[in-house]
Amino acid sequence: MKKLVLLVAIVASIAIVACASDSEESTPVSVAPTAVPATATSVPPIEVPEPDDVVVTLDWFQNANHVGVYEAVGKGFFEDENLNVSVEPPADPAAILGLVATGESDFAFYYQPDLLQARQEGIPVVAVAGIVQRPLNSIMTLASSGITEPGQLAGKKVGTPGLPWNDAMLDTMLKADGASIDDVEVVDLGWNVSPGLMAGEVDAIIGVYWTYESIIMGNAGHETTVIYPYEWDVPNYYELVLVTSEDNVKNNPELVERFVRAFNKGYAQAASDPQGSVDTMLELNPEAEIDEPTDREGVELLAPLWKSEGAPVGSLSSERWESLVEWMKSQDLLDDSQNAADAFDASFSK
């Protein structure tokens, strides 16, 4: 499901996205005082600020990864913070970070590794909350193949989306099991990696979510084996993070704090009632084409991943950012100019 996009497309998107104007200042609304006897002290008008309008862009179409933000909308958590929040799927996934950088979108769902690469290209966005606390990307094989470890792929065909990030992950996992990417035949399948595996075109695939594609393939009669990257020397990174612009963090920290507080509360609610959170997503998106059976199964796999051991929902760990940055530098995915501490702000999710 994860649709990784080329960074050059992201950078280009900034050029075509009009810079959004600064958020409108809250306009006080005067409430007329109740009539009181002449002998009583007059009550001054009560000034009630209008809610701040906030736009959130999803990373893809509505699915189980997003139920927490819909819980925050449906349960009134954003309203409690005086926020009027609109949640929008992206018209163009390549433009997501461009929308955030220019202020046309206030927040967005995105991927930790891709965020780091975007920052290297000069896109001024930062993570302010961790959503999915473990990698969802993985190597998948058909259970019937008997392949359960990376080293068993030597001499086999591996289908990929054709992105350097996935190739680096594949190489690391193979080396951890005594092989290398030179020992396999890498087949660029574009975005059709799952059909390629089911059709027998390849022996394994990478670049797919074990909380989504494995369910779809299982429902189609193709049971899969998942080989998790963090068990084979790939850092235990955040699959999804909540991002905003550097400008928002600097000039609107109070708004960011209110939004993140309600957002994390929504994911805590979703973690406590996964199926109820799918109900909420369906109710708020009556016209969307949502794969309900897949999402109801997937949300049970995702719910434990919204919590980090001994840390609040939404938390971000500096050690995990640093380990991913160092690994990406070792794979020539980042250059030495990149500093992990610049890419996130954990203060909003404490």
Side-chain angles (χ1 to χ4, degrees), residues 135 137-139 169 173 227-235 237:
N137 196 351
S138 60
I139 293 175
M169 178 183 288
M173 295 174 71
I227 306 175
Y228 301 98
Y230 51 85
E231 294 180 349
W232 299 95
D233 287 357
V234 176
Y237 64 90

Side-chain angles (χ1 to χ4, degrees), residues 262-328:
F263 182 87
N264 289 342
K265 190 174 180 181
Y267 272 92
Q269 171 64 30
S272 68
D273 182 12
Q275 293 303 320
S277 69
V278 176
D279 292 338
T280 300
M281 179 175 67
L282 293 170
E283 291 168 5
L284 294 178
N285 296 276
E287 304 300 323
E289 295 182 4
I290 295 175
D291 185 350
E292 182 178 350
T294 299
D295 287 330
R296 288 202 179 277
E297 188 172 347
V299 76
E300 298 294 340
L301 301 175
L302 285 165
L305 309 185
W306 296 324
K307 300 178 180 179
S308 184
E309 300 87 349
V313 171
S315 62
L316 294 166
S317 162
S318 59
E319 290 79 12
R320 292 174 70 179
W321 282 85
E322 289 165 4
S323 66
L324 181 63
V325 166
E326 290 308 308
W327 177 80
M328 291 180 71

Side-chain angles (χ1 to χ4, degrees), residues 90-123:
D92 177 7
I96 293 172
L97 292 187
L99 294 173
V100 175
T102 59
E104 188 156 325
S105 182
D106 301 287
F107 297 89
F109 288 65
Y110 216 64
Y111 319 104
Q112 185 189 12
D114 301 79
L115 170 65
L116 290 165
Q117 291 183 300
R119 286 185 56 82
Q120 181 165 276
E121 297 299 320
I123 301 177

